[in-house]
């Protein structure tokens, strides 16, 4: 979804048996673009491929992420930010799949009363911007809800 509008810039229709992460295999990344995805896309080898193609990603980390902090950046905790860190993965497979540094941003979402942890390969944007990019991902969820509603109405109309 291009955040400057409400029309997707990439659509691939599959049956329900195809896992979301496989879409990263057919996507042709644009250098400098951001790919903001949910945890279903957490595959470090695929994310590393995106990074190698000079694209950026923002993804929620899983709770069991094995990583070592290399550096902590200053954050304004009044914004909800808890920490902004440069990390290296420490799990054998994940480090093999993503052998470069990552950025880990922890944020407390007061609307959901929940702590969120994001991973990104973008080190140039402010940490709060990373959280806002992820929050904007909700637009795609609204788009899918609209598609489902529109499809249901068409099916009903076709049956009359």
């Amino acid at each position: 979804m291009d955040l400057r509008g409400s029309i997707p810039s990439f659509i691939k229709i599959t049956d329900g048996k195809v896992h979301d992460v496989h879409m990263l295999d057919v996507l042709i990344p644009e250098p400098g673009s951001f790919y903001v995805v949910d945890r279903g896309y957490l595959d470090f080898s695929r994310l590393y491929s995106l990074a190698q193609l000079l694209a950026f990603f923002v993804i929620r980390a899983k709770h069991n992420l094995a990583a070592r902090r290399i550096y902590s950046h200053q954050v304004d905790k009044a914004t909800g930010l808890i920490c902004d860190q440069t990390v290296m993965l420490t799990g054998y497979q994940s480090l093999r799949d993503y052998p470069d540094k990552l950025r880990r941003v922890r944020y407390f979402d007061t609307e959901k009363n929940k702590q969120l942890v994001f991973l990104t390969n973008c080190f140039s944007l402010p940490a709060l911007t990373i959280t806002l990019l992820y929050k904007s991902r909700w637009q795609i969820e609204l788009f899918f809800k609209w598609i489902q509603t529109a499809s249901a109405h068409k099916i009903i109309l076709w049956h009359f």
Side-chain angles (χ1 to χ4, degrees), residues 115-133:
Q115 185 179 130
L116 304 170
V117 181
F118 305 105
L119 295 175
T120 184
N121 62 331
C122 178
F123 291 87
S124 60
L125 292 177
L128 192 57
T129 302
I130 298 300
T131 67
L132 294 173
L133 278 170

Side-chain angles (χ1 to χ4, degrees), residues 81-99:
L81 289 169
I82 298 167
C83 68
D84 178 9
Q85 303 171 325
T86 300
V87 300
M88 285 294 291
L89 299 173
T90 59
Y92 174 77
Q93 185 68 39
S94 57
L95 180 59
R96 191 182 73 152
D97 290 344
Y98 202 102

Side-chain angles (χ1 to χ4, degrees), residues 12-156:
K12 174 86 170 153
I13 299 172
T14 62
D15 62 33
K17 296 175 186 171
V18 178
H19 193 278
D20 292 349
V21 76
H22 294 291
M23 292 305 101
L24 292 177
D25 298 332
V26 296
L27 179 73
I28 301 170
E30 291 182 41
S33 292
F34 278 81
Y35 296 89
V36 183
V37 294
D38 66 21
R39 283 185 285 200
Y41 290 84
L42 188 57
D43 179 296
F44 288 115
S45 64
R46 288 177 169 107
L47 293 174
Y48 191 64
S49 293
L50 273 180
Q52 293 298 294
L53 294 169
L54 305 178
F56 298 103
F57 60 84
V58 178
I59 189 167
R60 287 225 1 240
K62 293 185 179 180
H63 71 280
N64 62 347
L65 177 74
R68 174 178 50 90
R69 179 182 53 87
I70 296 171
Y71 183 79
S72 291
H73 308 273
Q74 293 275 343
V75 296
D76 179 0
K77 296 196 179 214
T79 63
L81 289 169
I82 298 167
C83 68
D84 178 9
Q85 303 171 325
T86 300
V87 300
M88 285 294 291
L89 299 173
T90 59
Y92 174 77
Q93 185 68 39
S94 57
L95 180 59
R96 191 182 73 152
D97 290 344
Y98 202 102
D100 209 348
K101 296 175 186 170
L102 283 167
R103 185 177 184 190
R104 177 172 57 192
V105 176
R106 287 185 196 276
Y107 175 77
F108 186 76
D109 185 342
T110 55
E111 291 176 23
K112 296 182 180 181
N113 198 32
K114 188 175 185 177
Q115 185 179 130
L116 304 170
V117 181
F118 305 105
L119 295 175
T120 184
N121 62 331
C122 178
F123 291 87
S124 60
L125 292 177
L128 192 57
T129 302
I130 298 300
T131 67
L132 294 173
L133 278 170
Y134 193 84
K135 188 173 185 176
S136 69
R137 192 190 69 78
W138 188 249
Q139 294 304 312
I140 196 69
E141 302 296 338
L142 295 176
F143 174 78
F144 284 132
K145 190 172 188 175
W146 175 79
I147 288 291
Q148 289 172 338
T149 302
S151 297
H153 288 277
K154 287 180 185 175
I155 291 169
I156 291 169

